[in-house]
Amino acid sequence: MLYSGDAAHRPDGTDWDYVVAPVGEDWGPGHTKPSIGTVVWSDNRVSVLKRRGAPPGASSGRALVTGYFSFERGHATAGDIEAQQLVTDWLRRSGRTVDVATAPPFLGGVDWRSVAPEHYDCVFFVCGPFRREPEILAMLRRFGHAKRIGLNLTLLAQHEWEDVLDQVFERDSAHTARPDMAYGADCAKVPVVGVCLREHSGRSDEGDALIAELLGSRALAAVPIDTRLDDLILDGNDTGLRTPAEVESLIARMDVIVTTRLHGLVMALKNGVPVLAIDPGNEGYKICRQAAAVGWPAAIALHNADSATLRLALNYCLSEQGRRDARQCGERGAASIESLKNDVLAAADTLLRA
């Protein structure tokens, strides 16, 4: 393919095989024009130059990263995505241009079926067991001109990859085992938020909708927690918890609790965990009253709850101040119950002596 002028690429971004440029001094065969390539023929008017460093029809230095995330319903895991992000970072830091082949629900990449194969000189298939599934084979064969490298794979059979991959750095096989690439991934941590809701009844559904919107508005890991224990025989606890100790142990390990239940509030503050409580108000605003009894500010009556208010309350719960305040409220509640114990025992003694 010939192109007249000094441009490096076609309009679609791919490299030209040859370039026709105006003749210049010392541009005889074997000489190089900066940024274009080596002169293969010249006369008094033009020189024909072979693109330097680019094989015919191929783009030098561009890599495509593929894996189970490249297929719809490919069952890509969090570890697959971490491995993809890690190798993509390696390649970009080494100076390569990198595309990632993705399919819904993963966004921001390219479709391996529609890109021009000649754009890439290297294709990586990253993470998971290597299976000779039709889609995987079709993808790898589509880029047969490129160097194809398997990375972080489990090899189920020793030689089944050899006709579609040029080299494999396996995660494990019958002969070796390497640590999974997820060990090397720098994955940002997000808050872990326990979600403890009333069973659906009355106005609690409105609170649930507000909570769902709130949790969807930021990056966090939501963990459902069910405090009910009386349905174990019939329906089972929705989150598999069997005893008060199991419920409270899970609550205690959260960064924040979001709840429409009174004991979601109490068990969180008891363990120094900040809690955003929404009170549906259908039982005398008992949640707000309980929060007021220990001085906890992030309990909101449903009629006062809106998206902006809840976001501010969640930010407070995630702050260091919120954690300090939660510990103090828990200590205040425990001290009050110790005082109640003394009063109850004294009253019982009095009644027994009467």
Side-chain angles (χ1 to χ4, degrees):
M1 178 74 70
L2 298 179
Y3 174 67
S4 296
D6 196 16
H9 302 285
R10 294 186 179 99
D12 65 2
T14 60
D15 286 312
W16 296 91
D17 302 337
Y18 296 91
V19 177
V20 178
V23 73
E25 185 178 358
D26 295 329
W27 286 14
H31 286 73
T32 297
K33 181 182 179 184
S35 81
I36 295 184
T38 302
V39 176
V40 294
W41 179 85
S42 184
D43 63 14
N44 293 328
R45 296 176 299 105
V46 295
S47 295
V48 177
L49 301 97
K50 180 73 160 34
R51 288 285 300 152
R52 180 171 57 244
S59 176
S60 178
R62 182 178 289 272
L64 181 66
V65 178
T66 70
Y68 286 102
F69 44 83
S70 305
F71 307 99
E72 287 193 44
R73 295 185 176 88
H75 304 291
T77 68
D80 295 338
I81 301 303
E82 287 193 2
Q84 174 263 107
Q85 291 171 340
L86 184 62
V87 70
T88 298
D89 183 63
W90 289 350
L91 293 167
R92 286 177 176 159
R93 287 177 182 271
S94 74
R96 282 181 171 269
T97 301
V98 184
D99 290 333
V100 178
T102 59
F106 305 108
L107 304 175
V110 301
D111 184 344
W112 64 266
R113 298 172 182 83
S114 61
V115 295
E118 63 270 18
H119 285 195
Y120 305 97
D121 61 7
C122 193
V123 174
F124 291 82
F125 186 76
V126 180
C127 203
F130 182 78
R131 298 187 177 94
R132 294 183 66 84
E133 296 176 357
E135 274 199 308
I136 293 174
L137 297 178
M139 179 180 70
L140 293 173
R141 286 169 176 158
R142 188 165 192 266
F143 299 91
H145 69 282
K147 294 299 182 184
R148 296 162 297 177
I149 299 173
L151 187 57
N152 208 48
L153 302 179
T154 292
L155 298 182
L156 303 175
Q158 189 60 25
H159 301 290
E160 66 177 356
W161 55 271
E162 292 178 349
D163 62 330
V164 287
L165 293 170
D166 298 293
Q167 188 171 2
V168 170
F169 296 90
E170 69 259 47
R171 175 176 58 191
D172 52 90
S173 66
H175 301 288
T176 190
R178 293 185 178 92
D180 187 274
M181 284 176 59
Y183 280 108
D186 184 14
C187 190
K189 305 302 185 291
V190 299
V192 181
V193 178
V195 184
C196 182
L197 305 179
R198 285 176 56 93
E199 59 273 21
H200 296 290
S201 61
R203 298 197 67 204
S204 65
D205 291 349
E206 298 176 43
D208 291 356
L210 283 168
I211 288 172
E213 179 187 354
L214 175 67
L215 298 179
S217 69
R218 62 180 299 158
L220 51 80
V223 179
I225 302 174
D226 188 0
T227 62
R228 295 174 303 160
L229 298 178
D230 61 341
D231 287 339
L232 284 175
I233 295 176
L234 296 177
D235 301 322
N237 179 289
D238 285 346
T239 52
L241 303 172
R242 300 166 296 176
T243 65
E246 292 179 5
V247 172
E248 191 166 329
S249 294
L250 186 55
I251 287 174
R253 285 164 173 77
M254 299 293 105
D255 294 319
V256 171
I257 294 293
V258 177
T259 191
T260 54
R261 298 198 74 102
L262 184 146
H263 283 117
L265 171 87
V266 172
M267 289 184 178
L269 296 178
K270 175 185 176 182
N271 289 281
V273 177
V275 54
L276 169 54
I278 298 177
D279 191 334
N282 52 356
E283 292 181 331
Y285 292 101
K286 65 180 183 180
I287 297 174
C288 287
R289 289 177 178 174
Q290 186 62 217
V294 294
W296 179 249
I300 303 167
L302 180 58
H303 64 265
N304 291 326
D306 57 41
S307 297
T309 301
L310 294 183
R311 286 194 180 98
L312 286 173
L314 182 58
N315 288 340
Y316 163 71
C317 289
L318 289 168
S319 69
E320 286 300 318
Q321 183 64 53
R323 187 158 287 275
R324 284 194 296 269
D325 291 348
R327 286 195 297 268
Q328 292 174 0
C329 288
E331 293 165 359
R332 195 175 294 129
S336 176
I337 299 308
E338 182 67 20
S339 176
L340 176 63
K341 178 191 75 172
N342 295 332
D343 292 343
V344 169
L345 293 177
D349 287 344
T350 300
L351 289 171
L352 288 171
R353 287 196 298 268

